[in-house]
Amino acid sequence: MARTPVLAFCGSLRADSVNLALLRLAERVAPDVQFVGAELIPDLPLFNPDLDLTPDGPPAAVRHFRGLARAARAVVIASPEYIHAPSGVTKNALDWLDGCGALDGKPTLLMSASPGHTGGLQGLVALFPTLQLLGAVLVDPVSVSRASSRLDAQGNVLDPSVYQRVELAMDDLREAMDFAYGHPLASKGL
Ligand SMILES: Cc1cc2nc3c(=O)[nH]c(=O)nc-3n(C[C@H](O)[C@H](O)[C@H](O)COP(=O)(O)O)c2cc1C
């Protein structure tokens, strides 16, 4: 059975990113979904609407990213918090999706991990209005505090409660997809 495509990306470009580890964990706990799009994030240029107006159209990475976003049934974003805001990488990716309707009605899971005791929650909260404007339907977010003692850079879980929280969040996302598309996806082979 084909896996359900989910646009999923990390708002950190660091090789040892704990947010990337969290994203990998989310993919691991949900073998029925296929995460797509993350590899395009480093290739997205800084948002500039003029690039949509060039004779050749926007850069290939932008076109490809929008295409994957349109085809996806849901969205998962793992974003670090920098100075109490989401990373510029996360916001840049979302800016490129403005106006193309790609997230309209799509169940969306926000996650964050941070070495501090807030888990990057403020960065996630700051994304709420942006995602609501893009039409995304938010499910209960995940924030992981003191992340370095709970998750290693490979996504290995050092604290079982993190695994349970991510598993629950992916269950929520699956249920939101069933609700959004009016049927259990599995029964339609999606
Ligand atoms: C310039 C800078 C600002 C940061 N600001 C915050 C912050 O406001 N809140 C927070 O929880 N962590 C903050 N951090 C810590 C990041 O959460 C931490 O570096 C995290 O590992 C980055 O995510 P990544 O591992 O996915 O790259 C900051 C780190 C840097 C370098």
Side-chain angles (χ1 to χ4, degrees), residues 74-92:
V75 181
V76 177
I77 301 169
S79 177
E81 174 183 308
Y82 290 130
I83 47 175
H84 290 185
S87 73
V89 172
T90 301
K91 182 61 165 54
N92 191 55

Side-chain angles (χ1 to χ4, degrees), residues 25-153:
L25 174 61
E27 187 171 32
R28 230 174 38 236
V29 304
D32 55 327
V33 305
Q34 182 181 19
F35 280 6
V36 296
E39 71 288 353
L40 295 170
I41 298 298
D43 296 331
L44 294 175
L46 286 177
F47 181 62
N48 177 356
D50 284 353
L51 297 180
D52 272 325
L53 306 176
T54 61
D56 295 335
V62 172
R63 285 201 310 274
H64 195 184
F65 187 61
R66 286 175 175 159
L68 290 176
R70 281 194 199 94
R73 307 288 281 189
V75 181
V76 177
I77 301 169
S79 177
E81 174 183 308
Y82 290 130
I83 47 175
H84 290 185
S87 73
V89 172
T90 301
K91 182 61 165 54
N92 191 55
L94 293 175
D95 285 347
W96 280 115
L97 297 180
D98 187 27
C100 72
L103 300 196
D104 206 15
K106 301 238 165 109
T108 298
L109 169 63
L110 291 177
M111 301 193 294
S112 180
S114 142
H117 61 271
T118 66
L121 191 60
Q122 291 184 90
L124 296 189
V125 169
L127 284 171
F128 287 6
T130 302
L131 283 159
Q132 276 160 358
L133 202 62
L134 294 175
V137 178
L138 296 176
V139 301
D140 196 9
V142 172
S143 67
V144 179
S145 58
R146 290 175 278 133
S148 43
S149 64
R150 295 184 154 150
L151 199 62
D152 73 13

Side-chain angles (χ1 to χ4, degrees), residues 12 14 16-20 80-84 113-116 118 120:
S12 170
R14 289 191 333 107
D16 288 340
S17 161
V18 286
N19 286 281
L20 183 59
E81 174 183 308
Y82 290 130
I83 47 175
H84 290 185
S114 142
T118 66

